[in-house]
């Protein structure tokens, strides 16, 4: 039967708890972009172009920080990185809500670099927890949980921002990040399978072994899809606000 592979995957030790914690941990992260947009437009009195610039700086920071955090996780372990990024993000959301626009622009870049790696940790842990035969249904379940986060997170963020105000929503996201980091720290999911050797400073994988045209094509399609999705979120919020 169709649900059988998913039942077998969920029966694996650690998978259900990882998916549950990851779903909740991603919700405040998913709410961040739309809440920042409303804050720039409503509280700072800027346009949607300025709000998009803040989002772009956060994304650029994330593109720089993600490989750095991945390398730190490989060499230092998961928990130290969770502590670092959780503290950094809580500080960002706590201070950013009171910062002027140009200061927020710089802070968004730094906040992106030190963003909580909830998405990457979840996927890396799923790969470590599941054998090859069950990896496809495991990643399918992870995709479903990600969509749940992106349905609930922005909706809650907009609800708080339009009732209590964008600044209150930013502080709420900071509290959510704190709980997310704490939840992942307590769960401490594995980041490599039991048979995999720890990564050392001398380990280097030749770039030519993985950076191939098919992989670049997947990255390009993913980037285009994410651009459309992110733009849709902002456009819908803008139209609803105008109406």
């Amino acid at each position: 039967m169709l649900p059988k592979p998913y039942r077998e995957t969920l029966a694996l030790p650690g998978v259900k708890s990882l998916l549950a914690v990851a779903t909740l941990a991603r919700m405040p992260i998913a709410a961040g972009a739309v809440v920042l947009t409303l804050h720039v437009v409503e509280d700072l009195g800027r346009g949607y172009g300025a709000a998009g610039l803040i989002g772009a700086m956060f994304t650029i920071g994330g593109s720089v920080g993600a490989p750095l955090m991945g390398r730190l996780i490989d060499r230092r372990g998961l928990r130290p990185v969770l502590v670092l990024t959780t503290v950094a993000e809580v500080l960002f959301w706590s201070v950013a809500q009171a910062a002027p626009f140009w200061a927020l622009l710089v802070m968004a870049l730094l906040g992106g670099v030190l963003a909580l790696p909830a998405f990457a940790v979840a996927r890396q842990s799923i790969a470590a927890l599941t054998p090859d035969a069950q990896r496809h249904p495991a990643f399918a379940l992870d995709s479903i949980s990600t969509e749940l986060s992106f349905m609930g997170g922005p909706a809650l963020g907009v609800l708080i921002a339009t009732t209590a105000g964008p600044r209150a929503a930013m502080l709420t996201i900071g509290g959510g990040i704190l709980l997310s980091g704490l939840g992942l720290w307590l769960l401490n999911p594995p980041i490599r399978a039991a048979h995999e050797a720890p990564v050392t400073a001398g380990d280097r994988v030749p770039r030519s072994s993985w950076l191939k045209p098919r992989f670049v094509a997947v990255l390009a399609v993913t980037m285009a899809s994410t651009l459309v999705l992110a733009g849709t979120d902002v456009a819908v919020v803008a139209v609803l606000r105008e109406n």
Side-chain angles (χ1 to χ4, degrees):
M1 294 178 62
L2 184 62
K4 184 179 178 181
Y6 299 101
R7 286 201 303 266
E8 292 175 346
T9 301
L10 289 171
L12 293 172
V15 172
K16 280 191 287 191
S17 57
L18 173 63
L19 289 174
V21 171
T23 301
L24 296 175
R26 289 162 170 164
M27 291 184 71
I29 300 173
V34 68
V35 168
L36 273 175
T37 298
L38 290 173
H39 171 64
V40 173
V41 173
E42 297 284 349
D43 293 331
L44 301 183
R46 300 269 180 165
Y48 283 93
L53 188 59
I54 295 292
M57 295 301 286
F58 202 92
T59 304
I60 292 170
S63 67
V64 173
L68 294 178
M69 294 304 107
R71 182 170 295 182
L72 276 177
I73 290 173
D74 284 338
R75 296 183 178 178
R76 302 293 182 183
L78 177 60
R79 280 182 163 173
V81 174
L82 289 176
V83 172
L84 171 65
T85 53
T86 299
V87 171
E89 279 227 72
V90 170
L91 286 174
F92 168 76
W93 289 104
S94 301
V95 177
Q97 53 85 29
F101 176 77
W102 295 109
L104 181 59
L105 201 62
V106 177
M107 291 172 60
L109 180 64
L110 297 176
V113 171
L114 294 172
L116 182 70
F119 290 85
V121 168
R123 288 167 185 155
Q124 190 171 351
S125 298
I126 284 174
L129 288 169
T130 55
D132 291 344
Q134 290 169 297
R135 200 152 290 168
H136 283 174
F139 280 120
L141 289 170
D142 178 65
S143 296
I144 293 170
S145 71
T146 300
E147 295 301 330
L148 291 174
S149 299
F150 273 94
M151 286 192 296
L156 289 173
V158 171
L159 177 63
I160 297 171
T162 53
T163 52
R167 285 193 168 93
M170 293 173 75
L171 291 173
T172 303
I173 288 176
I177 294 289
L178 178 61
L179 294 176
S180 301
L182 181 61
L184 289 170
W185 188 89
L186 291 173
L187 184 63
N188 193 26
I191 56 174
R192 61 180 60 88
H195 65 276
E196 292 179 326
V199 177
T200 63
D203 291 339
R204 287 190 176 274
V205 178
R207 187 175 290 120
S208 59
S209 67
W210 58 270
L211 190 59
K212 298 181 179 181
R214 286 172 62 87
F215 181 64
V216 173
V218 170
L219 293 180
V221 171
T222 302
M223 183 177 69
S225 302
T226 304
L227 182 67
V228 171
L229 290 172
T232 301
D233 285 345
V234 175
V236 168
V237 169
V239 170
L240 290 174
R241 181 176 177 272
E242 184 68 21
N243 289 337

